[in-house]
């Protein structure tokens, strides 16, 4: 019985592993909302779900510059919605 409970707990904890693919999607949606065009976007997450790194080539900025306002807002979107 305890083996089954331990297995369930381990499997449940594995589902909380941060998903960098989903983080990249959320960040891309945020950039699009802010009229920022990028290429080669990749967002990686730390083990705690915070943004570890952002790699992108900025092609065109909207009315608000990417640095720092849009980058900070999109980082917050990722960390709140992961």
């Amino acid at each position: 019985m305890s083996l089954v409970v331990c297995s369930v707990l381990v499997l449940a904890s594995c589902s909380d592993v941060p998903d960098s693919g989903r983080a990249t999607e959320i960040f891309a949606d945020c950039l699009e909302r802010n009229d920022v065009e990028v290429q080669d976007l990749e967002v990686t997450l730390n083990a705690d779900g915070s943004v570890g790194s952002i790699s992108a080539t900025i092609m065109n900025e909207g009315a608000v510059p990417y640095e720092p306002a849009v980058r900070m807002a999109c980082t917050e979107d990722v960390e709140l919605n992961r």
Side-chain angles (χ1 to χ4, degrees):
M1 176 67 172
S2 63
L3 178 61
V4 173
V5 172
C6 288
S7 296
V8 170
L9 290 175
V10 168
L11 290 175
S13 67
C14 290
S15 65
D16 289 339
V17 172
D19 181 355
S20 292
R22 178 71 181 130
T24 300
E25 289 175 15
I26 294 169
F27 202 91
D29 288 344
C30 178
L31 292 176
E32 187 176 320
R33 285 193 312 273
N34 287 283
D35 297 322
V36 176
E37 294 178 37
V38 298
Q39 285 185 338
D40 305 320
L41 175 64
E42 184 177 351
V43 178
T44 59
L45 298 176
N46 295 318
D48 66 355
S50 62
V51 172
S53 68
I54 302 164
S55 174
T57 303
I58 307 298
M59 303 305 290
N60 189 22
E61 295 180 338
V64 179
Y66 173 75
E67 286 289 349
V70 173
R71 180 185 49 79
M72 290 173 59
C74 293
T75 297
E76 185 176 307
D77 272 7
V78 168
E79 291 176 349
L80 292 175
N81 295 300
R82 62 176 177 87

